[in-house]
Amino acid sequence: MIMSSDIGTLGTILLSYNGWWYAISMVASLLLIAVSYRGRPRGRLPPGPSMGLPILGHMHLLGPLPHKSLRALSLKYGPIIFLRLGSSPPWSSLRPLLRSNSCMTTMRTSPFARPWSPLSISFSATRLADDPRWKAIRRLFVQELLSPKSLLTSKHVRNQEMGLLLHEARCSAASGKPVNIRELAYSWTTNVMACLLISQRLSDAPYRRLRAIPALVRTSRAATEGESSGKAYGCALATDPGQTTAAAGRSRSPGRSSLSIFGYLRHSSRHSDESEYAPVKGAIVEILLASSDTTTATIEWCMRELLRPPQLKMEKLQEEISALVGAGKQGTYRDCRLKNTRLFCNIWTIGRDESLWEAAHEFQPERFLPGGHASEVGLVGIQGYQPLIPFGRGRRGCPGSNAGIIMVSLFFTNLVHGFDWHSSSILAASSPGDEAADEGGGLLNIPSKPFTARPSIRGQEHGGMKSPQLT
Ligand code: HEM
């Protein structure tokens, strides 16, 4: 039986328990608010949504397609927005200030880099902050692999891979079997880069398991959601680090100039045994990831637009390439001091800004040709304000832009010149500019569903057209 005195004691206990509970909650809330305000810059700030949630800040406003959410925010608050993403230093979405604030754009934090182990973040060009190590690695990548001279020397590797790709497309044309465009583009980019880096095709043993291309794309896209994007490549390379390095060592032949990168990385690592190779593997994985996903996404989106019925753009491109081949050619917050702030530039929105582009939402590559309304707009370089920013800008811009342009151009020149493509129903169903239905989200925003297309050799009905490999 419970006596009234017991109830009193129980009440006191509960009260004191509740009191403790309230006190703990209060302290926790104050701590959260304090953490949220940590690093908040003082002074005049660009407009933006109100304070945001503790810890999360404004993260919850980004949603599954952050580029679109940011656009909606910029329609509400103006072209420059102040946002706080997580408890790390705040970001602001700024457009034309890339050059005057280069230190802000070169900052990096790597919240999801840790699970990359055994791949070493200490040798990552993409994830290191703006420090001497980052500079040294970037310089090595550029000098040894991505400079115009190195790209010229490695031409034979691309030609060889393009030959194999054309062979694959001819086999599909002969058998009438559709080709998965993402797989085709992915095997092209990864095989070229792997041949340059480790003198191995990824479809050759012992790297055969890397052939699981769709799974790889998924895994690497998952990086943006916080998973380890290096896992898929890393586990394969980790099987035999000696072999990886030996392959890098064999690459003394012209065009396979990766030895000095990996020699440098290996010798500058203080670790021994297995972990000695971590930087080597990390660098290989990094270049494979940075080059393959981006180039594949570019090819896949372009191919998607070209194949969309009634394929008028495809016909125009084919005519243009044929003509070239026939002619024997080859193919206002400037003063605002935002310490600890990172600039985040929504290039998706800039690329669709109706005040900058005519028919901003349409796939119109001809706008960049002489006579087109955007003929003055360049693809790379930091001269003046350019509204086309596919490779980023400034010191942190893409060091592989030349390689990317070559890989994408070679793919289209050869596969569009040599083949007609019969698209699948998925493209007929979606209308031009209707990207919302297609976008997969994430950092790269690869189309949500891969699609297939059936190639047929061009002009075959007229006895077959000679389709030389274009280099
Ligand atoms: C069409 C293909 C490509 C596109 C659209 C592309 C785009 C980009 C973009 C937007 C960035 C970020 C720039 C920034 O943060 O401001 C970047 C960085 C980077 N890209 Fe590319 N890229 C492509 C191809 C390549 C290739 C082929 C390679 C290497 C072989 C490469 C290596 C890198 C590296 C290492 C970085 C990090 C640079 C740093 O943080 O210092 N990319 N790329």
Side-chain angles (χ1 to χ4, degrees), residues 193-466:
M193 291 319 294
C195 283
L196 291 174
L197 291 164
I198 53 173
S199 307
Q200 293 268 353
R201 300 188 78 232
L202 285 183
S203 44
D204 293 345
Y207 303 101
R208 206 172 173 76
R209 52 212 262 209
L210 297 182
R211 227 11 207 163
I213 289 163
L216 264 185
V217 173
R218 266 202 311 280
T219 324
S220 45
R221 279 180 56 214
T224 56
E225 277 97 52
E227 284 182 32
S228 158
S229 65
K231 258 186 208 159
Y233 289 119
C235 63
L237 296 170
T239 52
D240 186 357
Q243 186 164 4
T244 303
T245 321
R250 278 201 302 279
S251 59
R252 283 176 193 278
S253 55
R256 302 190 176 193
S257 53
S258 44
L259 175 66
S260 48
I261 294 186
F262 302 113
Y264 167 85
L265 292 175
R266 193 154 53 88
H267 288 118
S268 45
S269 166
R270 290 197 204 96
H271 307 289
S272 58
D273 306 327
E274 172 76 14
S275 58
E276 186 183 341
Y277 298 98
V280 182
K281 284 183 278 178
I284 293 170
V285 168
E286 173 148 281
I287 296 191
L288 281 173
L289 285 174
S291 60
S292 56
D293 275 5
T294 46
T295 314
T296 302
T298 310
I299 291 176
E300 201 179 351
W301 277 115
C302 286
M303 199 68 168
R304 220 178 155 82
E305 292 302 323
L306 288 172
L307 290 181
R308 208 184 286 281
Q311 292 202 11
L312 297 179
K313 309 261 175 205
M314 174 67 97
E315 280 172 25
K316 205 168 170 196
L317 184 60
Q318 283 176 330
E319 277 167 25
E320 204 169 286
I321 298 172
S322 298
L324 285 177
V325 174
K329 292 181 194 155
Q330 293 291 324
T332 59
Y333 287 91
R334 229 164 256 267
D335 299 324
C336 170
R337 296 275 172 262
L338 297 176
K339 279 188 187 154
N340 287 333
T341 300
R342 223 180 325 164
L343 289 184
F344 178 67
C345 178
N346 190 353
I347 54 179
W348 183 89
T349 300
I350 299 174
R352 282 159 186 77
D353 187 335
E354 276 157 18
S355 66
L356 298 171
W357 308 98
E358 279 173 23
H361 289 265
E362 279 175 32
F363 177 70
Q364 278 192 5
E366 61 273 25
R367 69 177 88 224
F368 300 107
L369 295 177
H373 80 269
S375 58
E376 300 293 305
V377 175
L379 198 52
V380 283
I382 52 166
Q383 296 308 314
Y385 170 56
Q386 291 267 17
L388 185 68
I389 318 174
F391 296 106
R393 278 285 152 79
R395 299 167 67 210
R396 213 73 214 219
C398 175
S401 58
N402 287 331
I405 292 169
I406 291 177
M407 305 267 284
V408 173
S409 316
L410 265 184
F411 184 95
F412 281 105
T413 317
N414 280 284
L415 290 158
V416 165
H417 175 67
F419 301 89
D420 285 321
W421 292 88
H422 311 278
S423 56
S424 55
S425 52
I426 185 176
L427 297 181
S430 55
S431 56
D434 177 20
E435 303 134 344
D438 297 330
E439 289 182 66
L443 190 63
L444 283 156
N445 206 17
I446 281 181
S448 56
K449 293 189 197 105
F451 65 97
T452 57
R454 189 173 53 76
S456 63
I457 295 176
R458 265 183 88 205
Q460 205 167 32
E461 63 277 20
H462 308 299
M465 174 174 160
K466 190 166 171 359

